[in-house]
Amino acid sequence: MKKSDIQELIQKIESFNAKSHEDLEQFRLKYLSRKGRIPELLAKIGQAAKEDRAWMGQQLNKLKQLANHKFETLQEELTESQASSFNAREDITLPPAARDIGSYHPLTQTLQEMKSVFFRMGYTIADGPELEDDFHNFTALNFPPEHPARDMQDTFFIRKDEENPANDQVLRTHTSPVQIRLMKQEKPPIRAIMPGRVYRNESITAKSYCLFHQVEGLYVDKGVNFAELKQTLISFAEQVFGKGIKYRMRPSFFPFTEPSLEMDIWWETETREGQWMEILGAGMVHPNVLRAVGLDPEVYSGFAFGMGVERITMQRYGIDDIRLFYDNDVRFLEQF
Amino acid sequence: MKISSNWLYDYIDTDLSPEELADILTHTGLEVEEVTETGFDFDGIVVGKVISAEKHPNADKLTLCKVDVGDTTLPIVCGAPNVAAGQTVAVATVNSELPIILDNGKRLKIKKSKIRGEVSEGMICAEDELGLGENHDGIMVLDNELSAGLPLSEVFGSDLDHVIEIGLTPNRPDASCHIGCARDIAAVTGDELLLPEATFSPEKSDLGDRIKVSIKDTDKCHRYVGLMVVDVTVQESPDWLKKRLSAIGLRPINNIVDVTNYVLHEMGQPLHSFDYDLLNSKHIIVQSFDKETEFTTLDDVSRKVPSGTLYICDGDQPVALAGIMGGQNSEINPDTKNVLIESAWFEPVGIRKSSKKLALQTDSSYRFERGVDPNLTLRAAVRCAELIAQLGDGTILNGVVDTHPVKLETRKADLRFQRLTDILGTEIERETTVGILQRLGFECEGTDDLVSCTIPSWRPDVNTEIDLIEEIARIFGYNNIPNPDHLIIRDIRPIPLRERFKEEVRHAAQSLSYREIYTNSLLPESFAGALENPDSLVATLNPITKDQALMRPTLTYGFLRSVTYNANRKANSLRFFEIGNVFEKADRGTYVDGVRERTMVLLGVAGVKNHEHWYAGKQEDYQIFDLLADVDGFLKKLELGEYWINRESNTNLSICYGSRKKPLLLAQVSYADKKLTKITDTEIPAFTAEFDFEVLLQLKEKQKAKKYTPIPKFPAFEFDLAVVVGSDVPAGDMIKTIKGTAGNLLSSISVFDVFEGKSLGEGNKSIAFRMQFLSNEKTLTISDVDPIINTILTELGKKYQAALRS
């Protein structure tokens, strides 16, 4: 027996292919059965020269392993491919029962993303009541009594005190009153966002609802300036809407900030022509607001911003009816 | 507010397009919402000469014309009865557009066509088709002197205009007119602001014999100026004036009224014109009454006017609601000969209150309540008188009544240059700073460190340094302020537990396959009827609908509404959660007096748990036990420790923590309230668990730092115990007893079987407990557990007459 004979056998076994169990049986008989080629060769080791026995034994054992492995593999393959009948309830193409899955409301998802952006920028978070008094919702925010600025937001009143309007109670029209609570509670540097539900006494339509959600932001410290405010807002817009977003800032008016601004981003989709869309309002905290909470505006300055969670969510997903958020139609919820 | 671009060009000489003007306005803080083109520029419309006009061979009413349009002669089929050879006409050539808006919103475009077999290359136009009038009787015949081919815009002048719609913020009354807007533009571009010049300068008090003015409520009216124009002819206003007013959406009425409106929108001073001859006493008294009155305004509406509303009176007879609207009784009419012009300054708060009470907002009240320039009163009256005299062929009486009880003080504010730099975060050159202020009308006196500014009377919103800083920033341009390349963050503070835990709660609910919902916190009035104690509800005082009358005291109502909404849309297997605030009256308010506001968490299931399925089996509805299993999983996930259950009724359980004596009530788990299911039309089974988030948080705050507990070294010993007991004995009580008697080797207990049957005897049930016993010291055997089981059995026998089931 020569090494080349064994090599030849290895090649033959490796390239063997069985189309049926009959073929495979032939393979077994030819190589592995008692009278097969491999046992035959093994039996001949004893007849070989002494110095050859070691390598022959080694080689033949390897050969035997190879043949056995080949046989098992082919047998499995044939069995699998030929299994044609199964029990009706073992049909693995039968559809499984639907699994209930949980989900976060789309507004929560937007909010979570906004939070993560501001947390990265070192902001913490605060909250306050939805039912507020006049002082926190208006007066401390530099809304003079009987000022047209109060008409900017249709207000739900809970209590009216004709003698002392500062005792009026309202459903907060914005999250800005939390600024006041926070500044009264903590010492600068204050750096926090204040998300929450706010109310407007408006009829319910596709465009407006009697409530919505805002995220307020506040940063008060020594030396806080308008340029930093701009950079913060740009950074926010780029993180949420994508780097390279086109934006503009234009002067606006809120009684509690000055200078005030609104930020627009350029928004276009495949189906919609490009246009400027307002995403937030912001400004430098008005000195009167700082005074109202006992901070000296000559020492401290700050900026504040506020944005609508619904508005941003609607924009991102192309949602055109605000009521969808509150109907809770599962066909809507399961899309998020 | 609408601004016409053509009108703006009266005050600034600039090549900027209307779009560019709009862009500047937006960037100075006068946000332009829309720019729309109006009017017509006659592009493609030319003068034509009708060379021949013959009857159309196939149509009686049509005429075949050949029309010379200068460079060529066009065949045109015309339908007008008056068309004739030799006429000079207006021809719309092919591809030109007429100011006729089609159903698709586009303008009518002239096309080459065949009309009843005859080619037509244009259209001979009627007056109305060119927006030149109302006439549609036939084509418009022009002056024969006009030569063929002359563009029609050279005959009539283009009246193309752009309407700039501005969303005016309440701080900018100065910009509620064309000159105000032009001033902002000029401040940006550096162009000169061109103001109309008055030629008439009245002598004071010369009108004494014609009209007297007294102001009784001097706190509400600081100044009243009257001028008179006599011998006027009331007629239609000239084209230019009508176009100006129409462009900004005003309907031209007559030359007198139109002029007052024109001056209002030019300068921002609301004016009123009276028919002088309809005033009986010739004595204007500005006063209010302390009782309700009835008054018919010039829109022909009779109004109930609350006491305290300021009136302009003719003697004691009201003739106008001051600053809001004139009265019908002294209105300008076709026969008016002599006009009294009113120009006054009314105090903003008073006008605002009156306008709100009357639910009547006018162009006039809008401006007064924001603050009209107090130095404009006389100037605007003069401008108005001059225009009325000019357009009505009248004469201005040389005199004025000017009653001016409250005079304005000059206001000043200082701007420190260093402060400007500190607030804006960039340094703007002093020259630039002062230039901006001066162009806005501030008079500036500077030193090295600061500039001292006299504030123009038309800027009631500017009073302090920060206001000046805003003025500079907005004209300099927010987008021109450089952005820093880094942000400094110091003293980073931790995220509060409340926030972190709320997200944990949200995650726990979501991981138990609940979908989050957001429901309305405002509930309809009808909700009160479903409550045992409606007095504790917090109500809104002024809801615009009864559907928003109450603040929710529970999250259940919103859950059930969402259930019904979905069930009505064939989705009947629902698992929802919500985190939200609820409200109730309380002696000690949480944040504000008298109202308790807290956050709640709701888990709710409704309808079908499993739909019929080949593998999962028959359809099954949710049971309260499904919800209880989730509640258990939810609380385990939040790692709040051991809780216990208190049975409040057959359909309601409380989840409690702490000692039995002083329990901390955490949640209610129940069948959905029947009254609520009724008012929400919930027809499928629904179950709710409502947790008090504030209590959850309290427990979380008390939680000790997490520490690893070693995994038991020895296996547990399991023992099943079935007892027969009265059907009305609650399993929960028995478990409580077992736990109390078993000692600390008992590691868990569950119920694996419950049944009733005749073999047990009437009124009895069998209940089978599976208990696990575990020791940290050894592997337990039956000899360790047997004595415990005996003690348990004795105790169950004593307390509940339970017997071991044989």
Side-chain angles (χ1 to χ4, degrees), chain B residues 64-84:
Chain B
L64 291 185
C65 306
K66 293 235 179 303
V67 185
D68 175 12
V69 291
D71 49 356
T72 181
T73 301
L74 301 173
I76 295 176
V77 177
C78 182
N82 65 331
V83 69

PDB file of all heavy atoms in Angstrom, chain B residues 64-84:
ATOM      1  N   LEU B  64     -66.494  87.726 -36.477  1.00  0.00           N
ATOM      2  CA  LEU B  64     -65.109  87.469 -36.872  1.00  0.00           C
ATOM      3  C   LEU B  64     -64.428  88.812 -37.081  1.00  0.00           C
ATOM      4  O   LEU B  64     -64.862  89.599 -37.903  1.00  0.00           O
ATOM      5  CB  LEU B  64     -65.056  86.716 -38.210  1.00  0.00           C
ATOM      6  CG  LEU B  64     -65.533  85.272 -38.246  1.00  0.00           C
ATOM      7  CD1 LEU B  64     -65.276  84.688 -39.643  1.00  0.00           C
ATOM      8  CD2 LEU B  64     -64.779  84.461 -37.213  1.00  0.00           C
ATOM      9  N   CYS B  65     -63.367  89.040 -36.316  1.00  0.00           N
ATOM     10  CA  CYS B  65     -62.705  90.334 -36.440  1.00  0.00           C
ATOM     11  C   CYS B  65     -61.272  90.152 -36.924  1.00  0.00           C
ATOM     12  O   CYS B  65     -60.649  89.123 -36.665  1.00  0.00           O
ATOM     13  CB  CYS B  65     -62.652  91.053 -35.098  1.00  0.00           C
ATOM     14  SG  CYS B  65     -64.261  91.217 -34.331  1.00  0.00           S
ATOM     15  N   LYS B  66     -60.791  91.158 -37.619  1.00  0.00           N
ATOM     16  CA  LYS B  66     -59.354  91.252 -37.865  1.00  0.00           C
ATOM     17  C   LYS B  66     -58.887  92.465 -37.069  1.00  0.00           C
ATOM     18  O   LYS B  66     -59.426  93.563 -37.214  1.00  0.00           O
ATOM     19  CB  LYS B  66     -59.073  91.465 -39.367  1.00  0.00           C
ATOM     20  CG  LYS B  66     -59.446  90.266 -40.218  1.00  0.00           C
ATOM     21  CD  LYS B  66     -58.222  89.812 -41.040  1.00  0.00           C
ATOM     22  CE  LYS B  66     -58.526  88.594 -41.909  1.00  0.00           C
ATOM     23  NZ  LYS B  66     -59.005  87.441 -41.139  1.00  0.00           N
ATOM     24  N   VAL B  67     -57.872  92.224 -36.228  1.00  0.00           N
ATOM     25  CA  VAL B  67     -57.467  93.301 -35.327  1.00  0.00           C
ATOM     26  C   VAL B  67     -55.978  93.583 -35.500  1.00  0.00           C
ATOM     27  O   VAL B  67     -55.134  92.681 -35.388  1.00  0.00           O
ATOM     28  CB  VAL B  67     -57.760  92.922 -33.855  1.00  0.00           C
ATOM     29  CG1 VAL B  67     -57.450  94.109 -32.942  1.00  0.00           C
ATOM     30  CG2 VAL B  67     -59.220  92.505 -33.685  1.00  0.00           C
ATOM     31  N   ASP B  68     -55.674  94.837 -35.766  1.00  0.00           N
ATOM     32  CA  ASP B  68     -54.285  95.284 -35.896  1.00  0.00           C
ATOM     33  C   ASP B  68     -53.729  95.521 -34.497  1.00  0.00           C
ATOM     34  O   ASP B  68     -54.257  96.321 -33.722  1.00  0.00           O
ATOM     35  CB  ASP B  68     -54.275  96.583 -36.706  1.00  0.00           C
ATOM     36  CG  ASP B  68     -52.876  97.189 -36.783  1.00  0.00           C
ATOM     37  OD1 ASP B  68     -51.891  96.492 -36.414  1.00  0.00           O
ATOM     38  OD2 ASP B  68     -52.779  98.356 -37.221  1.00  0.00           O
ATOM     39  N   VAL B  69     -52.675  94.752 -34.143  1.00  0.00           N
ATOM     40  CA  VAL B  69     -52.068  94.962 -32.827  1.00  0.00           C
ATOM     41  C   VAL B  69     -50.646  95.492 -32.976  1.00  0.00           C
ATOM     42  O   VAL B  69     -49.761  95.207 -32.182  1.00  0.00           O
ATOM     43  CB  VAL B  69     -52.073  93.671 -31.975  1.00  0.00           C
ATOM     44  CG1 VAL B  69     -53.497  93.313 -31.578  1.00  0.00           C
ATOM     45  CG2 VAL B  69     -51.428  92.506 -32.719  1.00  0.00           C
ATOM     46  N   GLY B  70     -50.412  96.263 -34.007  1.00  0.00           N
ATOM     47  CA  GLY B  70     -49.100  96.889 -34.180  1.00  0.00           C
ATOM     48  C   GLY B  70     -48.220  96.104 -35.122  1.00  0.00           C
ATOM     49  O   GLY B  70     -48.167  96.392 -36.309  1.00  0.00           O
ATOM     50  N   ASP B  71     -47.568  95.070 -34.564  1.00  0.00           N
ATOM     51  CA  ASP B  71     -46.641  94.328 -35.403  1.00  0.00           C
ATOM     52  C   ASP B  71     -47.327  93.288 -36.296  1.00  0.00           C
ATOM     53  O   ASP B  71     -46.718  92.734 -37.187  1.00  0.00           O
ATOM     54  CB  ASP B  71     -45.544  93.661 -34.544  1.00  0.00           C
ATOM     55  CG  ASP B  71     -46.129  92.898 -33.368  1.00  0.00           C
ATOM     56  OD1 ASP B  71     -47.377  92.955 -33.177  1.00  0.00           O
ATOM     57  OD2 ASP B  71     -45.366  92.234 -32.643  1.00  0.00           O
ATOM     58  N   THR B  72     -48.595  93.008 -36.057  1.00  0.00           N
ATOM     59  CA  THR B  72     -49.293  92.005 -36.865  1.00  0.00           C
ATOM     60  C   THR B  72     -50.800  92.230 -36.789  1.00  0.00           C
ATOM     61  O   THR B  72     -51.269  93.085 -36.043  1.00  0.00           O
ATOM     62  CB  THR B  72     -48.929  90.572 -36.387  1.00  0.00           C
ATOM     63  OG1 THR B  72     -49.611  89.638 -37.208  1.00  0.00           O
ATOM     64  CG2 THR B  72     -49.357  90.351 -34.942  1.00  0.00           C
ATOM     65  N   THR B  73     -51.513  91.455 -37.588  1.00  0.00           N
ATOM     66  CA  THR B  73     -52.972  91.527 -37.535  1.00  0.00           C
ATOM     67  C   THR B  73     -53.496  90.165 -37.125  1.00  0.00           C
ATOM     68  O   THR B  73     -53.082  89.143 -37.667  1.00  0.00           O
ATOM     69  CB  THR B  73     -53.545  91.903 -38.913  1.00  0.00           C
ATOM     70  OG1 THR B  73     -52.984  93.159 -39.285  1.00  0.00           O
ATOM     71  CG2 THR B  73     -55.058  92.013 -38.870  1.00  0.00           C
ATOM     72  N   LEU B  74     -54.356  90.152 -36.118  1.00  0.00           N
ATOM     73  CA  LEU B  74     -54.819  88.888 -35.565  1.00  0.00           C
ATOM     74  C   LEU B  74     -56.275  88.625 -35.931  1.00  0.00           C
ATOM     75  O   LEU B  74     -57.100  89.538 -35.891  1.00  0.00           O
ATOM     76  CB  LEU B  74     -54.709  88.915 -34.036  1.00  0.00           C
ATOM     77  CG  LEU B  74     -53.330  89.150 -33.423  1.00  0.00           C
ATOM     78  CD1 LEU B  74     -53.475  89.314 -31.910  1.00  0.00           C
ATOM     79  CD2 LEU B  74     -52.391  87.997 -33.747  1.00  0.00           C
ATOM     80  N   PRO B  75     -56.594  87.339 -36.248  1.00  0.00           N
ATOM     81  CA  PRO B  75     -58.001  86.962 -36.360  1.00  0.00           C
ATOM     82  C   PRO B  75     -58.560  86.704 -34.968  1.00  0.00           C
ATOM     83  O   PRO B  75     -57.961  85.955 -34.199  1.00  0.00           O
ATOM     84  CB  PRO B  75     -57.940  85.665 -37.177  1.00  0.00           C
ATOM     85  CG  PRO B  75     -56.596  85.082 -36.892  1.00  0.00           C
ATOM     86  CD  PRO B  75     -55.674  86.218 -36.524  1.00  0.00           C
ATOM     87  N   ILE B  76     -59.643  87.363 -34.609  1.00  0.00           N
ATOM     88  CA  ILE B  76     -60.214  87.157 -33.272  1.00  0.00           C
ATOM     89  C   ILE B  76     -61.726  86.970 -33.393  1.00  0.00           C
ATOM     90  O   ILE B  76     -62.407  87.756 -34.051  1.00  0.00           O
ATOM     91  CB  ILE B  76     -59.918  88.353 -32.335  1.00  0.00           C
ATOM     92  CG1 ILE B  76     -58.403  88.456 -32.080  1.00  0.00           C
ATOM     93  CG2 ILE B  76     -60.673  88.228 -31.012  1.00  0.00           C
ATOM     94  CD1 ILE B  76     -57.985  89.644 -31.244  1.00  0.00           C
ATOM     95  N   VAL B  77     -62.226  85.877 -32.769  1.00  0.00           N
ATOM     96  CA  VAL B  77     -63.668  85.673 -32.704  1.00  0.00           C
ATOM     97  C   VAL B  77     -64.168  86.367 -31.449  1.00  0.00           C
ATOM     98  O   VAL B  77     -63.656  86.111 -30.357  1.00  0.00           O
ATOM     99  CB  VAL B  77     -64.012  84.172 -32.673  1.00  0.00           C
ATOM    100  CG1 VAL B  77     -65.527  83.983 -32.542  1.00  0.00           C
ATOM    101  CG2 VAL B  77     -63.484  83.486 -33.920  1.00  0.00           C
ATOM    102  N   CYS B  78     -65.152  87.269 -31.628  1.00  0.00           N
ATOM    103  CA  CYS B  78     -65.602  88.078 -30.489  1.00  0.00           C
ATOM    104  C   CYS B  78     -67.098  87.863 -30.260  1.00  0.00           C
ATOM    105  O   CYS B  78     -67.873  87.783 -31.222  1.00  0.00           O
ATOM    106  CB  CYS B  78     -65.305  89.554 -30.776  1.00  0.00           C
ATOM    107  SG  CYS B  78     -65.773  90.640 -29.423  1.00  0.00           S
ATOM    108  N   GLY B  79     -67.502  87.761 -29.002  1.00  0.00           N
ATOM    109  CA  GLY B  79     -68.900  87.501 -28.683  1.00  0.00           C
ATOM    110  C   GLY B  79     -69.659  88.740 -28.234  1.00  0.00           C
ATOM    111  O   GLY B  79     -70.855  88.670 -27.983  1.00  0.00           O
ATOM    112  N   ALA B  80     -68.971  89.872 -28.145  1.00  0.00           N
ATOM    113  CA  ALA B  80     -69.626  91.071 -27.621  1.00  0.00           C
ATOM    114  C   ALA B  80     -70.547  91.691 -28.682  1.00  0.00           C
ATOM    115  O   ALA B  80     -70.209  91.705 -29.861  1.00  0.00           O
ATOM    116  CB  ALA B  80     -68.575  92.078 -27.182  1.00  0.00           C
ATOM    117  N   PRO B  81     -71.697  92.184 -28.251  1.00  0.00           N
ATOM    118  CA  PRO B  81     -72.639  92.755 -29.211  1.00  0.00           C
ATOM    119  C   PRO B  81     -72.157  94.074 -29.810  1.00  0.00           C
ATOM    120  O   PRO B  81     -72.547  94.442 -30.919  1.00  0.00           O
ATOM    121  CB  PRO B  81     -73.899  92.972 -28.381  1.00  0.00           C
ATOM    122  CG  PRO B  81     -73.432  93.058 -26.967  1.00  0.00           C
ATOM    123  CD  PRO B  81     -72.209  92.192 -26.874  1.00  0.00           C
ATOM    124  N   ASN B  82     -71.283  94.785 -29.076  1.00  0.00           N
ATOM    125  CA  ASN B  82     -70.958  96.150 -29.521  1.00  0.00           C
ATOM    126  C   ASN B  82     -69.698  96.254 -30.366  1.00  0.00           C
ATOM    127  O   ASN B  82     -69.240  97.337 -30.685  1.00  0.00           O
ATOM    128  CB  ASN B  82     -70.840  97.074 -28.293  1.00  0.00           C
ATOM    129  CG  ASN B  82     -69.675  96.687 -27.405  1.00  0.00           C
ATOM    130  OD1 ASN B  82     -69.287  95.518 -27.356  1.00  0.00           O
ATOM    131  ND2 ASN B  82     -69.118  97.661 -26.709  1.00  0.00           N
ATOM    132  N   VAL B  83     -69.105  95.107 -30.715  1.00  0.00           N
ATOM    133  CA  VAL B  83     -67.855  95.188 -31.465  1.00  0.00           C
ATOM    134  C   VAL B  83     -68.127  95.686 -32.889  1.00  0.00           C
ATOM    135  O   VAL B  83     -69.141  95.344 -33.490  1.00  0.00           O
ATOM    136  CB  VAL B  83     -67.114  93.832 -31.453  1.00  0.00           C
ATOM    137  CG1 VAL B  83     -67.854  92.785 -32.264  1.00  0.00           C
ATOM    138  CG2 VAL B  83     -65.672  93.989 -31.991  1.00  0.00           C
ATOM    139  N   ALA B  84     -67.229  96.552 -33.402  1.00  0.00           N
ATOM    140  CA  ALA B  84     -67.449  97.106 -34.743  1.00  0.00           C
ATOM    141  C   ALA B  84     -66.114  97.528 -35.343  1.00  0.00           C
ATOM    142  O   ALA B  84     -65.156  97.838 -34.614  1.00  0.00           O
ATOM    143  CB  ALA B  84     -68.381  98.318 -34.655  1.00  0.00           C
TER     144      ALA B  84
END
